[in-house]
Amino acid sequence: NSFKSDDVEIESTQRVFQGFFKIDLYRFNHALFAGGRSQTIVREIFERGQAVAVLPYDPRTRQVLLIEQIRIGALATKDNPWLLECIAGMADGSEDYPEVVRKEAKEEAGLELDELEFMLSYLSSPGGTTERLYLYLAQTDLSRVDVGGLYGLDEEGEDIKVHVMAVDEALARLASGEIDNAATVISLQWLALNEQRIQQAWNKE
């Protein structure tokens, strides 16, 4: 890639909405592939901040923990807006993402997490939002989990149910299209690609 951040000129930014979420209006121009500069481009950008997600995985039983909660944005394209997801949350300005992961796991599943493995980070939709998600795998004893337990913070309007299922069942739900939110899709695909390595390392311990 021949371009860098220096090849973008931010002419101005303006906060145009401040509520549960924030929206900024960007005016910018940038270098063109054919040479020269673009005209001024105007975009509204969803300033959501950074987020984390974690997939608890039990290498002994080959099970994963997913949570279920309502996501109103899914209602436009799904018959059922209650989604199976990874535990996730906003970093709220913190860059200690493992600590944020542990806090969210406690709030959303009553789970104390120890060993975390960073999977990857990705931009959720960079044409419209600054959000980057940081994904983790947590090797966890899921036999102690309160399956079907209800969690979440009342002040955040959370109503969360805990599910534990075999990796193969989770991958089947992914293949059928039932699991279709990005962080969970990516986390389960990452596990499918890396589980053999994780199992081999666990069996040596």
Side-chain angles (χ1 to χ4, degrees):
N1 190 331
S2 56
F3 293 146
K4 305 294 182 187
S5 296
D6 290 346
D7 294 303
V8 181
E9 179 188 355
I10 303 296
E11 299 174 15
S12 67
T13 60
Q14 177 189 358
R15 178 64 46 88
V16 293
F17 180 80
Q18 174 89 35
F20 183 72
F21 295 121
K22 307 174 188 68
I23 298 176
D24 287 348
L25 183 74
Y26 281 69
R27 297 179 184 275
F28 66 98
N29 66 78
H30 61 84
L32 294 169
F33 289 118
R37 307 289 300 183
S38 72
Q39 62 185 355
T40 296
I41 298 169
V42 180
R43 292 286 185 271
E44 292 87 6
I45 298 295
F46 184 19
E47 297 288 355
R48 184 171 163 84
Q50 314 319 318
V52 300
V54 60
L55 180 64
Y57 166 74
D58 191 330
R60 181 179 59 84
T61 60
R62 292 193 63 236
Q63 291 178 312
V64 292
L65 182 148
L66 297 173
I67 59 172
E68 181 182 3
Q69 62 183 318
I70 189 169
R71 294 300 198 187
I72 197 63
L75 197 56
T77 56
K78 286 181 75 94
D79 293 334
N80 181 359
W82 276 264
L83 305 186
L84 284 172
E85 301 179 331
C86 292
I87 294 166
M90 302 307 300
D92 293 329
S94 172
E95 293 185 0
D96 188 349
Y97 301 123
E99 182 57 34
V100 178
V101 162
R102 292 186 175 95
K103 177 177 73 73
E104 293 294 334
K106 185 68 175 172
E107 291 176 2
E108 297 190 350
L111 200 57
E112 299 280 357
L113 296 182
D114 297 318
E115 185 181 346
L116 295 176
E117 179 176 351
F118 176 68
M119 293 194 280
L120 56 88
S121 76
Y122 70 95
L123 292 162
S124 59
S125 186
T129 179
T130 54
E131 181 183 48
R132 178 180 286 275
L133 279 94
Y134 296 82
L135 306 184
Y136 291 84
L137 185 83
Q139 292 193 35
T140 309
D141 178 3
L142 296 181
S143 66
R144 60 191 179 184
V145 168
D146 179 17
V147 177
L150 304 180
Y151 294 91
L153 299 179
D154 289 342
E155 61 267 29
E156 294 184 11
E158 294 178 329
D159 180 43
I160 296 171
K161 186 175 183 179
V162 171
H163 296 264
V164 172
M165 66 186 68
V167 169
D168 292 343
E169 179 183 348
L171 293 176
R173 292 182 184 227
L174 175 64
S176 74
E178 177 187 352
I179 294 176
D180 59 358
N181 56 90
T184 313
V185 169
I186 294 168
S187 294
L188 287 172
Q189 290 177 335
W190 185 95
L191 179 59
L193 291 170
N194 289 274
E195 189 183 16
Q196 184 176 2
R197 169 184 60 81
I198 293 165
Q199 282 285 328
Q200 287 171 346
W202 181 76
N203 286 326
K204 288 178 182 177
E205 293 178 0

